[in-house]
Amino acid sequence: MTRSTLLVALSFVGSLAACGGGGGGGGSSTPKPASSVAPASSVAPSSVAVSSLATSSVAASSAASQGAAAISSFIVVDQFGYLPDAKKVAVIRDPQTGYDAALSFTPGATYQLINLDTNAVVLSGSAVSWKSGATFDAAGDKAWWFDFSSVTTPGNYAVLDVEKNVRSPGFKIAADVYKPVLKHAMRSFFYQRAGFAKQAPFAEAGWTDGASHIGAGQDKNARLYSDKNNAATEKDLSGGWYDAGDYNKYTNWHAYYLVALLHAYAENPTVWTDDYNIPESGNGVPDIIDEIKWGFDWLKKMQNQDGSVLSILGLAHASPPSAATGPSYYGPASTSATLTSAGAFALGSKILAGLDNPELNAYAADLKTRAENAWTWAVANPNVTFRNNEGASAGLGAGQQEVDDAGHATKKTAAAIYLFAATGSATYRSHVDANATNATSWVDVWNEPEVTAWLYYASLPDATGAVATSLKNQYQSAFNANNNWPAVRNGDDPYRAYIGTSNFTWGSNRTISRKGLTFHNLIDYNISGTDQAEVRNAAVGYLNYIHGVNPQAMVYLSNMYSLGVHSSVNEFYHSWFTNGSALWDRVGTSTYGPAPGFLVGGPNPSYDWDGNCTSNSPNSGCGSAAPNPPKGQPAMKAYLDFNTSWPLNSWQITENHNDYQVAYIRLLSKFVPKQ
């Protein structure tokens, strides 16, 4: 991006009248279709203009003369809003390094919280400097905080800098402010369904499509990748979810998504309703369970008669998905896929059997049998590996899901935990207890799924008492480490979502979500000495970051303008919502833009264009330099709102992934009111 383009983009201004009352809120049972075109003042021409900045003196003067405060991305808030009892902090930012370093903002002396419905001033005060004017290196910003936590009255609000006559985007304070957000985020799995037609009234306007990958030679007649001409290898492997922006279905990852969604339900069952506007809505079963069952229906097809589980199904790609005509091929069974599936089958059996539904009871019993068969095969075959997309399997999938010996051991223990929960068998408990030493003595974003499994074991009534106590005590002690309570209590991140600079990698929004979960686990699993209000305020800070409290002033979910946000992801890497599509490429440019509710990977300072671009024969798509941003930026600014494929490889930044989605959904569900 050129410097002139940057400055033009950063001078976009949205007025109070143009952007209205702001955030999410509302408790309607059915998500409303996202607008096919975002408000003109909300659609930025590039990621660096994800929200409007009042840097142009002409624009600011014009806004002031009209009595309207310009929306500035120097004042960042959760654009959906805040819970009444939550900590509420607007962050005021002054760029020092990065793509916006040429711009500056010093807050005025007086900040106010304005009720947008009445224009009444409900709170007045000043912005407090973060760390006495220090620059936060991960973002390249100086920062100030305006704390309005004392305001608990529901309504539509904005934070106003009186002297500068600029304000934040609008937002709500309400107990159910995140309820419609959760519905959109969960509905992304409906749009990711393979082999299922997305039709009205369930698909929102603009995102209908026929069932994909059910033609000749596709999922219903998939063949072994190494024996493609042999009809005897055909299997019906239809269903499941597209994994990410690619359509392939990876067993290890798919099985874990089921585990994460099951935890999301089990940890907070009363927030999950039967009205998400999916085909199963209204059947008396929470829609998250219906979606989980859809996922299990596919995983069951991947299991062989001997208990082993196939590793992957590679699919063809096109936009829309139903236009894909290429064949589908599967990879052989592997120990890792079988162990992860054993754990998922077992936890599914435990949770579904507790719903007091006769049909689901039978389904749960089948899952239990499948879990034990998978365990038996994996124990007898501990080292069967398959590396998809390498060597002879090149092109079968895009990502690599295979694990090493340590990964096998971790998966085996997790499977044993969930099998013990489902069966009560001492065989599984013995395996768990034998591997419990120091299991939760380190808690960080990278082992959150494993420590959650351990805490789940500690919560089971028949777990070994001494082991359960030790696991909880270890977890409590681990939170005294620098990256946990000390970092939060010291306010080491002005955006109130500390993960540490080195943890901003590919998929940083998953990392952010998982970090929030590590805090909320203290409540969910009854860790002693927990101050629930402190824990919830720490955890919700990570949600606030994803919802706009970040240097981009951007909601990192796609096309959320129907919920009143000022700036959300306008385009992201996905085979359906592909670059150049007249229908789905970009909000405000294409007819519809992408479907709402998908969480993108987020800032990734390791981003780079493909190596071809520095070769002697670079592809014409390379351009003259790697896009900056995201390359060469502070960690939290290493983001660009783009979906350009190879060789610029936008997937490193903006691709969605079900793994990101389940972490975010699980965290978000903690802050939705009970029904």
Side-chain angles (χ1 to χ4, degrees), residues 361-392:
N361 286 343
Y363 195 89
D366 178 61
L367 293 182
K368 179 180 174 181
T369 299
R370 290 175 178 276
E372 295 193 277
N373 290 343
W375 172 270
T376 299
W377 185 90
V379 169
N381 299 272
N383 297 301
V384 179
T385 61
F386 178 69
R387 299 186 66 82
N388 58 264
N389 200 28
E390 293 182 16

Side-chain angles (χ1 to χ4, degrees), residues 78-382:
D78 185 317
Q79 292 179 37
F80 298 116
Y82 299 86
L83 301 177
D85 62 349
K87 193 170 184 65
K88 311 172 191 71
V89 179
V91 178
I92 299 91
R93 51 183 296 270
D94 180 14
Q96 305 296 304
T97 60
Y99 62 73
D100 52 357
L103 306 169
S104 64
F105 185 83
T106 302
T110 304
Y111 269 66
Q112 295 176 340
L113 187 68
I114 305 296
N115 185 307
L116 292 176
D117 295 325
T118 66
N119 290 324
V121 176
V122 298
L123 182 70
S124 186
S126 59
V128 177
S129 177
W130 179 80
K131 301 288 186 183
S132 302
T135 296
F136 181 50
D137 289 339
D141 293 341
K142 291 183 178 180
W144 293 258
W145 287 347
F146 177 63
D147 191 324
F148 53 99
S149 302
S150 61
V151 179
T152 61
T153 303
N156 296 305
Y157 297 93
V159 171
L160 174 69
D161 184 315
V162 175
E163 284 78 9
K164 299 297 179 68
N165 194 38
V166 294
R167 70 165 177 96
S168 72
F171 55 86
K172 287 184 180 290
I173 295 176
D176 61 353
V177 69
Y178 299 132
K179 182 178 177 180
V181 187
L182 180 62
K183 288 185 176 183
H184 276 301
M186 191 67 217
R187 278 174 51 79
S188 69
F189 278 91
F190 170 71
Y191 287 117
Q192 291 287 87
R193 289 186 185 186
F196 191 92
K198 290 87 173 181
Q199 298 296 335
F202 310 111
E204 297 167 83
W207 301 293
T208 59
D209 188 30
S212 70
H213 301 92
I214 57 173
Q218 295 190 306
D219 290 7
K220 290 188 175 184
N221 309 99
R223 294 186 180 184
L224 182 64
Y225 87 101
S226 58
D227 201 3
K228 297 177 181 178
N229 296 322
N230 185 357
T233 68
E234 287 187 359
K235 293 177 178 288
D236 179 0
L237 303 178
S238 57
W241 301 302
Y242 314 135
D243 186 70
D246 71 275
Y247 296 157
N248 305 305
K249 294 179 277 191
Y250 308 82
T251 306
N252 259 314
W253 297 338
H254 181 104
Y256 174 69
Y257 308 151
L258 290 166
V259 169
L261 290 174
L262 287 162
H263 276 301
Y265 174 79
E267 290 161 358
N268 210 4
T270 59
V271 310
W272 299 101
T273 55
D274 189 24
D275 57 358
Y276 281 28
N277 194 33
I278 61 175
E280 298 85 356
S281 294
N283 65 355
V285 175
D287 283 343
I288 187 176
I289 298 296
D290 289 318
E291 200 62 61
I292 286 169
K293 186 175 179 295
W294 172 266
F296 271 126
D297 286 345
W298 178 76
L299 192 62
K300 288 166 60 174
K301 293 179 180 180
M302 294 292 281
Q303 187 172 36
N304 294 320
Q305 288 294 320
D306 62 2
S308 64
V309 183
L310 301 174
S311 55
I312 186 174
L313 183 65
L315 278 65
H317 294 73
S319 176
S322 64
T325 58
S328 300
Y329 298 113
Y330 62 87
S334 68
T335 303
S336 61
T338 304
L339 285 170
T340 313
S341 298
F345 285 141
L347 185 59
S349 172
K350 172 71 173 178
I351 302 303
L352 297 185
L355 293 176
D356 194 27
N357 180 301
E359 181 180 344
L360 289 179
N361 286 343
Y363 195 89
D366 178 61
L367 293 182
K368 179 180 174 181
T369 299
R370 290 175 178 276
E372 295 193 277
N373 290 343
W375 172 270
T376 299
W377 185 90
V379 169
N381 299 272

Side-chain angles (χ1 to χ4, degrees), residues 4 31 45 65 69 108 114 119 121 150 214 222 268 311 314 426 475 502 526 531 534 549 560 569 581 614 626 642 646:
S4 61
S65 67
I114 305 296
N119 290 324
V121 176
S150 61
I214 57 173
N268 210 4
S311 55
Y475 198 90
S502 64
N526 300 311
D531 180 327
E534 182 184 33
V549 183
M560 298 301 288
V569 168
S581 166
T614 56
F642 76 136
W646 186 89

